[in-house]
Amino acid sequence: MRENMAYLRRKADDFLKNWRRNPDRKPLIVKGSRQIGKTESIRKFGAENYGQVVEINFVEEPKYKRIVEDGYRTADIIKNISRIDPSKKFAEGETLFFFDELQEFPEIATALKFFCQDGRFDVICSGSMLGINYGRIESNSIGYKEDYRMHSFDFEEFLWAKGYDDSFTEDLFAHMTELTPFREGELALCQGLFLDFCILGGMPAVLREYIAKGTFEGSLGIQRQLLADYEEDVRKYAGGLDQGRILNVFRQIPVQLAKDNKKFQISKVAPGARFKDYRGCIEWLADAGMVNICHCMNYPELPLKGNFDETKYKIYFADSGLLVAMLDEEAQEDLRANKNLGVYKGALYENVVGEALVKSGYGLYYYKREDSTLEEDFFVRTMRNLIPVEVKATNGRAKSLKELIRSDKYEDIQYGIKFTGGNIGFENDIYTFPYFLAFLLKRYLAGRV
């Protein structure tokens, strides 16, 4: 990462500012996968809003694990921090405690209760692999902390990095709400920006290199290093689970997404592999923030939660750029040279839209009828409606989407959404939008109740 580069605006910035304004704020835990910018955002927020920031990284400075030797009360922790580093200051109301790499020392979460009750200091905790230890962290601090989920850059944050301000997003949203097709030049501009984002993904190190150079030079190397770092995390943190099985699942994702039937098949991972042997491996990858799980619904109806078969699912990468980095050499060359996003049978389209939904706060659900005569990529919901979301690699027919809307069997479905490479349109209760508007879907549906 280029340390001298300007800070890139994140959505977490506004969340942190609002948290600080809340007089009843509790200690905050910022969750998310490795190298997505958590530490950088928290440091910037701390520097701009506090007189002192007491930052402790439990990986780089394991000696600070001793700060709870006398108990978890705030006064005891401050006393022990002072013993280790007498230069640290603790002004009441003006000090932020930032405990980083919390997964290395989840026991510190017990202290959040005492910090919350004490009320003199603000606390933010973070870590690259929090999900895998979150059960322990939750049990130690339940009721005395707030959680925030951070992701790699989404498309809107990418636009900010490219120099586009909020008015650009508002214009995109106006096109969406008014169902006004884009002019040819507008559409080409947005499609070009979105294709660059799809190839790069949202990892800060990759985007910084791209912004600095204005080209894709070096981006693949950084992405592959990030993948190597992820695999190293598996070896370091997987604990009692079979690390080889976790890595086999991770490496199989691009292969299985390339198939027409994108349901993840454990039997293809290794000879004789069974779901019960691999279930923990898939959960581990999801908890680590490395993948997004899309559950197969039992039937297309509300509610979504609990209405799925735990043995049937699709697995997507949490960051599409890392999926791109795992493609074979021919697909890589075609994608980067010709920006042919359809090179992987629509897998990239689905991954990108699924990623946008997760980053908007949605869970992922799909449906496939047992006889394979009806299949829908994603489902989201409003207060009253279940909304099927189809992702088309080409702007072709949407047979399943039409059946879901027209049939009396699906009472919760009144209309559908289709994302394509084309323009905005509406026909037969199907709203068609370009892929690059997927990040605005939740906001759009909120206006429809």
Side-chain angles (χ1 to χ4, degrees), residues 310-328:
E310 64 177 14
T311 67
K312 298 177 182 177
Y313 47 87
K314 294 184 285 188
I315 305 179
Y316 298 106
F317 275 80
D319 186 273
S320 295
L322 299 184
L323 169 60
V324 168
M326 291 185 74
L327 301 183
D328 57 65

Side-chain angles (χ1 to χ4, degrees), residues 261 296-297 312 366-370 372 374-376:
N261 175 17
C296 183
M297 299 172 66
K312 298 177 182 177
Y366 78 104
Y367 178 70
K368 185 171 184 178
R369 192 183 282 162
E370 286 294 333
S372 299
L374 187 149
E375 183 173 7
E376 197 54 70

Side-chain angles (χ1 to χ4, degrees), residues 199-370:
I199 293 169
L200 293 161
M203 301 301 282
V206 179
L207 292 186
R208 285 185 181 279
E209 193 75 10
Y210 166 75
I211 297 296
K213 294 182 176 178
T215 69
F216 294 125
E217 180 188 352
S219 62
L220 179 58
I222 297 172
Q223 288 169 329
R224 286 179 171 167
Q225 182 57 53
L226 288 166
L227 287 168
D229 291 344
Y230 273 176
E231 295 203 358
E232 183 60 31
D233 279 342
V234 172
R235 298 183 181 96
K236 183 176 181 181
Y237 292 110
L241 287 172
D242 188 323
Q243 299 168 8
R245 286 179 178 174
I246 296 175
L247 291 173
N248 285 343
V249 170
F250 187 64
R251 294 166 182 163
Q252 267 282 309
I253 297 170
V255 178
Q256 300 214 21
L257 282 179
K259 299 176 181 177
D260 290 329
N261 175 17
K262 295 178 177 60
K263 185 186 84 168
F264 196 85
Q265 296 174 286
I266 287 294
S267 60
K268 303 293 184 183
V269 174
R274 297 172 298 177
F275 171 75
K276 70 182 184 71
D277 298 325
Y278 278 80
R279 177 176 179 173
C281 301
I282 296 159
E283 290 176 349
W284 193 96
L285 288 168
D287 288 342
M290 296 163 66
V291 303
N292 294 325
I293 308 299
C294 185
H295 299 284
C296 183
M297 299 172 66
N298 294 318
Y299 192 76
E301 64 183 359
L302 294 173
L304 286 171
K305 288 187 177 180
N307 176 22
F308 60 86
D309 183 340
E310 64 177 14
T311 67
K312 298 177 182 177
Y313 47 87
K314 294 184 285 188
I315 305 179
Y316 298 106
F317 275 80
D319 186 273
S320 295
L322 299 184
L323 169 60
V324 168
M326 291 185 74
L327 301 183
D328 57 65
E329 295 295 335
E330 292 76 13
Q332 278 281 345
E333 186 176 348
D334 193 12
L335 182 59
R336 293 175 186 273
N338 304 314
K339 296 188 178 180
N340 177 16
L341 199 61
V343 70
Y344 235 53
K345 299 182 181 179
L348 287 173
Y349 293 106
E350 278 191 38
N351 203 100
V352 167
V353 172
E355 177 187 345
L357 295 179
V358 169
K359 288 178 176 179
S360 298
Y362 286 117
L364 297 185
Y365 302 89
Y366 78 104
Y367 178 70
K368 185 171 184 178
R369 192 183 282 162
E370 286 294 333

